[in-house]
């Protein structure tokens, strides 16, 4: 178990009926969240640079929200939020596990940034949404090549 679990972009903008990701992913994410103490779960919400800051972002329907540790990002990597970086450093985090959406987008960018920040990084593929599986093979190769621990890979 990593020091912190980062739940990336599990919000109604992306995870809902008619969207690329739905209930099955939410159930898998909830299963992973339940394995962590609530004070070790961090939620990342995406707010594009053009979106108004006063519009409340909503978590995906049915998402297990066990902590009030919620950080917004305005770019792909959650490490562009200095408050998140300060929180992790201030709490002595050494390792981070990532889940959420999308494996080729914000999860990928956040993992690459976490490795650059010298965190020990893991990802549980059973709780990561991926819209483009073909492109994801390159993402997996990259993660393996930089030492990311990948759980839940099919052989």
């Amino acid at each position: 178990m990593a020091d912190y679990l980062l739940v990336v972009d599990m919000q109604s903008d992306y995870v809902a009926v008619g969207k690329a990701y739905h209930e099955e992913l939410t159930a898998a994410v909830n299963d992973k969240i339940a394995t962590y103490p609530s004070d070790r779960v961090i939620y990342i919400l995406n707010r594009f640079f053009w979106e108004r800051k006063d519009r409340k972002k909503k978590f995906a329907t049915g998402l297990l929200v066990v902590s009030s540790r919620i950080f917004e990002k305005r770019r792909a990597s959650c490490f562009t939020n200095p408050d998140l970086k300060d929180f992790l450093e201030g709490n002595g985090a050494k390792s981070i596990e990532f889940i959420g959406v999308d494996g080729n987008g914000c999860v990928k960018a956040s993992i690459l940034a976490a490795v650059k920040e010298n965190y020990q990084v893991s990802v549980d593929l059973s709780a990561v949404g991926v819209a483009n599986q073909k492109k994801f093979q390159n993402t997996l190769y990259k993660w393996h090549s930089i030492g990311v621990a990948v759980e839940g890979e099919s052989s």
Side-chain angles (χ1 to χ4, degrees), residues 31-93:
D31 288 347
K32 178 55 88 170
I33 290 169
T35 68
Y36 274 81
S38 60
D39 65 337
R40 297 293 179 161
V41 178
I42 297 172
Y43 297 89
I44 307 297
L45 288 175
N46 189 45
R47 181 182 301 278
F48 289 109
F49 65 88
W50 67 81
E51 290 183 294
R52 292 176 28 185
K53 289 184 181 178
D54 61 351
R55 187 179 146 246
K56 188 165 171 34
K57 302 302 281 187
K58 293 185 183 102
F59 286 113
T61 301
L63 180 69
L64 185 61
V65 180
V66 298
S67 89
S68 59
R69 290 191 169 95
I70 301 166
F71 294 89
E72 279 194 2
K73 64 182 178 57
R74 297 184 69 81
R75 293 205 161 91
S77 167
C78 61
F79 284 89
T80 57
N81 182 329
D83 294 337
L84 174 64
K85 289 171 72 170
D86 291 347
F87 175 83
L88 292 169
E89 287 173 24
N91 286 281

